[in-house]
Amino acid sequence: SQTIHQWPATLVQPVGSPLSLECTVEGTSNPNLYWYRQAAGRGLQLLFYSVGIGQISSEVPQNLSASRPQDRQFILSSKKLLLSDSGFYLCAWSVGGREADEQFFGPGTRLTVL
Amino acid sequence: GQNIDQPTEMTATEGAIVQINCTYQTSGFNGLFWYQQHAGEAPTFLSYNVLDGLEEKGRFSSFLSRSKGYSYLLLKELQMKDSASYLCAVMDSNYQLIWGAGTKLIIKP
């Protein structure tokens, strides 16, 4: 069966510090991978998605970046965090090559920037 | 622009039935999803509709009318564990999910 891992679960960082969140998927190959951010009381905002190694599409211009160094690894980074980067970050995967498919979410990382 | 509307909060009684509505305006349509999200947790998939009509899955059913840009999620025999937020999401012409803000469902004994 497929599983998705995200870490850390919670993170408190000062403004201006760097960020690295990691997501890995097990039990499937060539998945589509997604990074979302959810602010309190708001819908999920798609940040990045990837259909393959090294292929990253950005949906929102911001100070965040994503990388996919391996097939089942997706990393969200920032060089300098802003207060507005606080939120609940969710990684998700869906079956590669099948576009209209449900997405499965990792447990999320709650980021607080102070 | 693209827009998904659903009520912010609803309250229902244990054992009763509740209907959560979702209306959408998107550029293209490749299906509508409902997810459940308990507080502090990740969303979990409930249902997918791409054709008009009702899809039933145990206590949960989801309905779609593409001509009206409308869907609802029907929860029967409510249990306390159904207290959660319910997210409506539409897949647009680019196969990207557009998400509503979610409906917080409160179940009272």
Side-chain angles (χ1 to χ4, degrees), chain B residues 4-34:
Chain B
I4 311 285
D5 285 316
Q6 47 181 136
T8 303
E9 187 174 297
M10 299 181 71
T11 302
T13 305
E14 190 177 14
I17 299 173
V18 70
Q19 177 176 310
I20 302 174
N21 296 325
C22 171
T23 58
Y24 62 89
Q25 289 177 310
T26 56
S27 50
F29 180 84
N30 281 299
L32 186 144
F33 296 78
W34 284 97

Side-chain angles (χ1 to χ4, degrees), chain A residues 36 38 41-44 46 49 88 90 99-103 105-107 110, chain B residues 30 33 35 37 40-45 48 87 91 95-97 99-101:
Chain A
Y36 287 93
Q38 186 178 34
R42 305 283 295 275
L44 275 69
L46 179 64
Y49 70 95
F88 191 40
L90 290 157
E99 292 171 310
D101 236 5
E102 66 263 33
Q103 296 175 14
F105 288 83
R110 188 158 304 281
Chain B
N30 281 299
F33 296 78
Y35 281 77
Q37 185 177 25
E41 299 181 8
T44 55
F45 170 75
Y48 170 66
L87 311 180
M91 188 163 277
Y95 295 95
Q96 297 301 331
L97 280 177
W99 294 82

Side-chain angles (χ1 to χ4, degrees), chain B residues 65-96:
Chain B
S65 169
R66 287 172 296 171
S67 62
K68 294 182 179 178
Y70 167 70
S71 172
Y72 67 73
L73 181 69
L74 191 71
L75 292 75
K76 303 176 184 176
E77 301 169 15
L78 286 169
Q79 302 174 9
M80 297 304 292
K81 68 178 182 180
D82 297 330
S83 292
S85 287
Y86 291 86
L87 311 180
C88 173
V90 173
M91 188 163 277
D92 68 10
S93 56
N94 294 319
Y95 295 95
Q96 297 301 331

Side-chain angles (χ1 to χ4, degrees), chain A residues 54-84:
Chain A
Q55 300 178 62
I56 310 292
S57 295
S58 174
E59 292 297 307
V60 182
Q62 59 212 331
N63 68 320
L64 298 173
S65 62
S67 62
R68 184 170 177 173
Q70 299 180 44
D71 181 44
R72 289 168 289 176
Q73 183 185 30
F74 206 21
I75 298 172
L76 182 70
S77 304
S78 174
K79 292 182 180 177
K80 284 187 178 182
L81 284 168
L82 306 173
L83 284 174
S84 58

